[in-house]
Amino acid sequence: MNGTRQTQARPPAAARQDTALADRLARSARALQGRPVQEIHAWLQRRREQVDFSVERIAFRDLDGWGWSTESGNLVHRSGRFFSVQGLRAAIGEESDRLSWHQPVLCQPEVGILGILAREIDGVLYFLMQAKMEPGNPGLLQLSPTVQATYSNYTKVHNGANVRYVEYFTDPSRGRVLSDVLQSEHGSWFYRKRNRNMVVEVTEPVPEHEDFRWLTLGQIHQLLGSDNMVNFDARSVLSGLVGPGTTEALHSDMDLLSWLAAQRSVTPNRGMLVALPDLPGWKRDAFSISHEHDRYFRVVAVSVRAGNREVNHWTQPLFEPRSQGVVAFVTRTFGGVPHVLVRARAEAGLLDAELGPTVQCLPANYEHLPAAQRPPFLDLVQSAAPERIRYSALHSEEGGRFLDAVSRYLVVETDESQTPAEEPPGFRWFSHDQLAALTRYSHYVSAQARSLLLCLNTLTP
């Protein structure tokens, strides 16, 4: 070897970020060519009429494959899979300032796939969206990801048909990953639930099906202006498509991360699962589990028929809120840069506090309380002048687990007279780009805040 040491050639270094993605997303957001929005509405309505869909409330005793566990009294599936309804003793905060209560909660330890296929067509990114029926959706059919499936679904525990296009996400080497992150879901109703949110770009032709359509971001943004049109899972996945943003903001990134760490340290989640029959303040009859004061939500059972699903008929429990919610960002411009007022929300089903909307609640739960005890900024967003409301639409939450869980999503513009730069406790101003950048990571941006981020993208400067 002549005393020389052989060295292996190093692989070439790769760019840490796809700097071209932001421009490609912006081009797709501007693109409205192809199918007009009216045609998408007509397509969804046509699928509603052509496919047999129905949802009927039933008694718990009529659930097929579900029952009350003889050991715990929890509501479980006979396979031991899918999900269960259990009890939760919630406890948030240190002992001296702890909030505690009891409630039913959905336990679904499996990580599902929420995946959207992307493809460049004539120089513009398109996204393959599905007309999918979920039993809890208002109107049943909404625009959904290419794949929206639990692990039990796509491994066919139910002995149903294959999930279309799932192979692109179980083996993403077939394409190019644009976004991939485990995201939490609704912490008020789920116990530590996560789903894998993915966008995979392909270059090969994809088999077509009548339940799917290729749409640009611009077309999807237009559809977000219609009530109950784009489902929660699609909103969550698309919110994670971000490119490099502006560098200016009221607070530095490090200051905001430090603030969130401090909020998490004083709001530890010390809740624990308990048996469903042991919940004080909750009652059960043949058709529901509900709160003694008929507030918050109730657990009900439904029988479902859907002609285009992997299984055509099934029964299941659903959580049903007792009233309509409000989910809102208050926004303000600092130094020419748009910001939103974010609240650190510690919810019973989350691992830690996450960055949530300025306002997120069921207002009916607070109607009997004086203004000082109502959620901060609730009165401001509900009484906002029309010219201050930049965005307003009704959106439903995850229709596979929640029945008619609808909230008014709002973006309300304010000024220094309504929202000073100095934030109240538990709130911080984030630039749009600062908040969007954190959607690349798990357990930072809450489910509702991700939806609102996508809604913000529909607004013109």
Side-chain angles (χ1 to χ4, degrees):
M1 304 294 291
N2 297 325
T4 61
R5 185 171 61 183
Q6 297 291 323
T7 58
Q8 293 182 338
R10 294 180 179 178
R16 292 180 58 205
Q17 292 189 31
D18 181 358
T19 55
L21 180 59
D23 288 338
R24 299 177 72 206
L25 294 173
R27 193 179 310 124
S28 183
R30 294 191 298 268
L32 297 174
Q33 68 260 40
R35 298 181 174 93
V37 170
Q38 293 82 358
E39 183 180 330
I40 305 304
H41 282 273
W43 164 61
L44 289 170
Q45 184 58 35
R46 188 166 62 251
R47 297 309 290 159
R48 289 189 185 101
E49 295 169 354
Q50 292 173 343
V51 183
D52 177 29
F53 297 126
S54 67
V55 177
E56 178 186 0
R57 292 175 186 261
I58 59 174
F60 288 126
R61 67 173 180 270
D62 295 325
L63 285 168
D64 181 18
W66 295 83
W68 310 104
S69 167
T70 56
E71 296 179 357
S72 65
N74 295 331
L75 185 53
V76 299
H77 192 265
R78 64 186 169 204
S79 67
R81 305 286 289 276
F82 298 107
F83 65 95
S84 61
V85 181
Q86 301 188 34
L88 177 67
R89 186 177 69 195
I92 294 177
E94 297 292 356
E95 188 172 355
S96 60
D97 193 29
R98 182 172 297 168
L99 295 174
S100 59
W101 67 93
H102 291 80
Q103 66 169 87
V105 70
L106 287 164
C107 295
Q108 188 172 335
E110 297 178 351
V111 175
I113 291 177
L114 308 178
I116 296 179
L117 282 181
R119 189 180 179 203
E120 190 167 292
I121 302 172
D122 296 330
V124 176
L125 268 180
Y126 281 72
F127 300 87
L128 189 60
M129 307 302 292
Q130 179 182 182
K132 187 177 180 69
M133 181 273 190
E134 292 288 0
N137 286 343
L140 296 182
L141 206 68
Q142 294 188 13
L143 204 64
S144 309
T146 316
V147 169
Q148 178 183 318
T150 67
Y151 181 80
S152 290
N153 285 145
Y154 68 79
T155 57
K156 299 198 290 186
V157 171
H158 49 36
N159 297 316
N162 292 329
V163 175
R164 288 187 180 88
Y165 309 115
V166 71
E167 64 273 12
Y168 292 96
F169 303 97
T170 55
D171 179 18
S173 65
R174 300 181 59 157
R176 176 169 171 258
V177 176
L178 301 184
S179 177
D180 193 352
V181 60
L182 290 178
Q183 292 287 19
S184 61
E185 301 224 350
H186 303 77
S188 294
W189 297 325
F190 276 119
Y191 185 72
R192 301 185 180 179
K193 174 75 175 75
R194 299 182 301 169
N195 272 327
R196 189 177 180 188
N197 289 228
M198 305 178 69
V199 180
V200 175
E201 183 181 5
V202 295
T203 56
E204 64 188 61
V206 175
E208 296 185 358
H209 188 273
E210 179 56 25
D211 287 330
F212 297 80
R213 289 288 186 274
W214 290 102
L215 301 178
T216 67
L217 276 182
Q219 291 168 322
I220 296 169
H221 289 171
Q222 281 196 327
L223 291 166
L224 279 165
S226 299
D227 291 344
N228 297 314
M229 181 62 61
V230 181
N231 84 350
F232 161 73
D233 295 312
R235 302 192 306 266
S236 178
V237 175
L238 291 171
S239 72
L241 280 176
V242 294
T246 59
T247 57
E248 295 81 19
L250 183 63
H251 301 291
S252 72
D253 293 356
M254 191 66 253
D255 285 345
L256 292 174
L257 291 173
S258 177
W259 168 78
L260 179 59
Q263 292 295 305
R264 288 173 166 176
S265 68
V266 298
T267 56
N269 190 337
R270 304 186 188 279
M272 62 181 296
L273 294 173
V274 297
L276 187 60
D278 297 338
L279 294 180
W282 292 80
K283 57 187 179 180
R284 184 180 117 192
D285 59 29
F287 288 87
S288 69
I289 301 171
S290 57
H291 190 264
E292 60 186 356
H293 299 307
D294 292 328
R295 293 181 188 152
Y296 313 120
F297 64 93
R298 59 186 171 189
V299 184
V300 299
V302 295
S303 174
V304 186
R305 292 192 181 277
N308 66 345
R309 290 288 298 265
E310 297 81 20
V311 173
N312 292 334
H313 175 254
W314 71 94
T315 63
Q316 69 170 94
L318 290 173
F319 277 30
E320 181 185 27
R322 302 307 295 260
S323 59
Q324 184 173 294
V326 169
V327 178
F329 267 148
V330 165
T331 183
R332 187 181 158 193
T333 298
F334 294 95
V337 179
H339 285 65
V340 292
L341 188 59
V342 167
R343 185 174 193 177
R345 290 188 60 87
E347 297 182 345
L350 298 177
L351 286 168
D352 275 314
E354 296 188 2
L355 302 171
T358 318
V359 176
Q360 177 189 317
C361 68
L362 301 181
N365 291 337
Y366 302 93
E367 289 176 347
H368 63 293
L369 297 177
Q373 297 179 34
R374 288 159 60 83
F377 303 103
L378 173 60
D379 292 337
L380 184 151
V381 300
Q382 287 192 305
S383 62
E387 63 270 18
R388 291 285 190 179
I389 299 175
R390 297 292 313 282
Y391 178 89
S392 177
L394 294 174
H395 291 304
S396 59
E397 306 306 331
E398 212 279 276
R401 300 292 177 265
F402 311 132
L403 178 62
D404 292 330
V406 176
S407 292
R408 171 68 65 182
Y409 275 72
L410 294 161
V411 175
V412 178
E413 189 174 42
T414 63
D415 56 30
E416 64 276 6
S417 67
Q418 298 168 301
T419 51
E422 184 176 348
E423 306 96 332
F427 292 83
R428 274 297 183 275
W429 290 108
F430 279 66
S431 75
H432 295 186
D433 291 329
Q434 284 176 315
L435 189 59
L438 291 175
T439 62
R440 297 191 186 101
Y441 310 103
S442 303
H443 306 300
Y444 275 97
V445 184
S446 76
Q448 290 87 345
R450 296 196 301 272
S451 282
L452 272 175
L453 266 175
L454 187 64
C455 298
L456 282 170
N457 292 339
T458 70
L459 305 180
T460 55

